[in-house]
Amino acid sequence: MQLHNTSQYAIRVLNFFANHSDDRLYSAKELAELLSIPYKFLTKIMGILVKAEFIKSIQGREGGYELNKPASQIKLIDILNTFNDETDNESCILGVGICDGHNKCALHDQWMQPKGLLRKMFEETTLENLTSADCKL
Amino acid sequence: MQLHNTSQYAIRVLNFFANHSDDRLYSAKELAELLSIPYKFLTKIMGILVKAEFIKSIQGREGGYELNKPASQIKLIDILNTFNDETDNESCILGVGICDGHNKCALHDQWMQPKGLLRKMFEETTLENLTSADCKL
DNA sequence: TTTAAATTCTACCTTAGAGTAGTAATTGAA
DNA sequence: TTCAATTACTACTCTAAGGTAGAATTTAAA
């Protein structure tokens, strides 16, 4: 019951940019050091974030990365979906097809409430809503 | 954000026993068919459930499995822990060490409430509390 | 124009979860 | 005593996530 490592990294990187909207670029080297993410793995993730248009990249010497859109327009769920992190609300927590009120798994009733809050968190939280000050990178 | 396959299988098997407390044994072959779980994988899981003392096994011809303790004494969290499914409430959802009120990750505040409900569900739900009738196996 | 700092691309390695295969051991029934 | 139905054990394969390596490309500064 946890997020993929790549999703965690991606959220932390994007959150970093949301909190550093000074008008400059950050290189992969800098980010890797500041966020303690393996450099080579980070560059791989950055490539995905660029393709997904969360991040804009400037190539070449003095290049780097910056946010490609306002923090208020990036939802957590969009990030998770980019990395195939399971947020499919229809599928059953016990893996027994699709659950609804009439055709449900043994854990369905207990699962409804936490599932709803998780869904709310991922769908309604944007980078803008994340803790901005004094938080761990 | 989902349970391991083995945990799902284990919960479904244990729930099946909780709902079929008639005084008989069920063989791995029967269980595999009734619950649509690959036979060989099921026997592997049953071995773990036996070692963890959730299930009692009777070897040899006419043998099989039965619950080893009352359904009210088996919590979901005990099952998950048996299969290393992450339920460590201290560790951070973004993977940045230990989060608390003073030293927290960017998502800490939003995570508190769903985390609490998940914890409650896993720690307070026993096999006895699961839906017993008309639920998918 | 050269060079160094940066992104980008392709390919690979490692690990853990998921699942399979085959055989040994057990045991009640015939 | 034999045999068939069963659990138990060991070892393997497959797949996807996590992570690494190295070279190609881009670009601005020197």
Side-chain angles (χ1 to χ4, degrees):
Chain A
M1 213 73 198
Q2 60 179 3
L3 296 179
H4 286 169
N5 237 331
T6 40
S7 302
Q8 295 179 335
Y9 287 154
I11 292 172
R12 288 171 55 213
V13 168
L14 289 170
N15 177 62
F16 176 88
F17 279 107
N19 292 341
H20 294 75
S21 47
D22 33 16
D23 222 4
R24 57 163 288 212
L25 301 175
Y26 287 88
S27 72
K29 185 162 173 260
E30 269 183 303
L31 293 170
E33 281 170 8
L34 287 167
L35 303 178
S36 301
I37 300 175
Y39 171 76
K40 276 296 194 177
F41 196 33
L42 176 69
T43 60
K44 190 181 207 171
I45 293 170
M46 293 312 288
I48 297 170
L49 291 178
V50 168
K51 275 208 186 110
E53 298 183 338
F54 293 119
I55 291 281
K56 186 163 67 179
S57 71
I58 310 294
Q59 287 193 30
R61 182 165 177 164
E62 308 288 294
Y65 302 98
E66 65 187 355
L67 263 196
N68 192 36
K69 50 176 106 171
S72 60
Q73 286 177 28
I74 300 183
K75 295 182 199 164
L76 292 186
I77 194 161
D78 300 326
I79 305 173
L80 299 193
N81 286 337
T82 302
F83 293 96
N84 300 317
D85 222 327
E86 194 61 52
T87 52
D88 181 353
N89 294 291
E90 297 309 315
S91 75
C92 164
I93 189 177
L94 291 185
V96 196
I98 309 287
C99 277
D100 56 41
H102 293 296
N103 196 19
K104 59 192 183 184
C105 75
L107 193 47
H108 182 77
D109 293 345
Q110 285 83 359
W111 173 230
M112 287 302 284
Q113 213 188 344
K115 165 180 163 175
L117 279 189
L118 280 171
R119 183 176 171 282
K120 193 164 184 290
M121 175 176 79
F122 290 133
E123 292 195 351
E124 296 183 1
T125 306
T126 69
L127 292 185
E128 199 179 29
N129 306 135
L130 295 180
T131 303
S132 54
D134 288 331
C135 77
K136 292 188 277 187
L137 299 178
Chain B
M1 212 74 198
Q2 59 178 2
L3 296 179
H4 286 169
N5 237 331
T6 41
S7 301
Q8 294 179 337
Y9 287 154
I11 292 172
R12 287 171 56 212
V13 168
L14 289 171
N15 177 62
F16 176 87
F17 280 106
N19 292 340
H20 293 76
S21 47
D22 34 17
D23 222 5
R24 57 163 288 209
L25 301 175
Y26 287 88
S27 72
K29 184 163 173 260
E30 267 183 304
L31 294 171
E33 281 170 8
L34 287 167
L35 303 178
S36 301
I37 300 175
Y39 172 76
K40 275 298 193 177
F41 196 32
L42 177 67
T43 61
K44 190 181 208 171
I45 293 170
M46 294 312 288
I48 298 170
L49 292 177
V50 168
K51 275 206 185 112
E53 298 183 338
F54 293 120
I55 291 282
K56 186 162 67 178
S57 70
I58 310 295
Q59 287 191 31
R61 182 164 177 165
E62 308 287 295
Y65 302 98
E66 65 187 354
L67 262 197
N68 192 35
K69 51 176 108 172
S72 61
Q73 286 178 27
I74 300 182
K75 295 182 198 164
L76 291 185
I77 193 162
D78 300 326
I79 306 173
L80 298 192
N81 285 337
T82 302
F83 294 96
N84 301 316
D85 222 327
E86 193 61 52
T87 52
D88 181 354
N89 295 291
E90 298 308 316
S91 75
C92 163
I93 189 176
L94 292 185
V96 196
I98 309 287
C99 276
D100 57 39
H102 293 296
N103 195 19
K104 59 192 183 185
C105 75
L107 193 47
H108 182 78
D109 293 344
Q110 285 83 359
W111 173 229
M112 288 303 284
Q113 211 188 344
K115 166 180 162 175
L117 279 189
L118 281 171
R119 183 176 171 282
K120 195 165 185 287
M121 174 176 79
F122 290 133
E123 292 194 352
E124 295 184 2
T125 306
T126 69
L127 291 185
E128 199 180 27
N129 306 136
L130 295 180
T131 303
S132 54
D134 286 332
C135 77
K136 292 187 278 186
L137 299 179

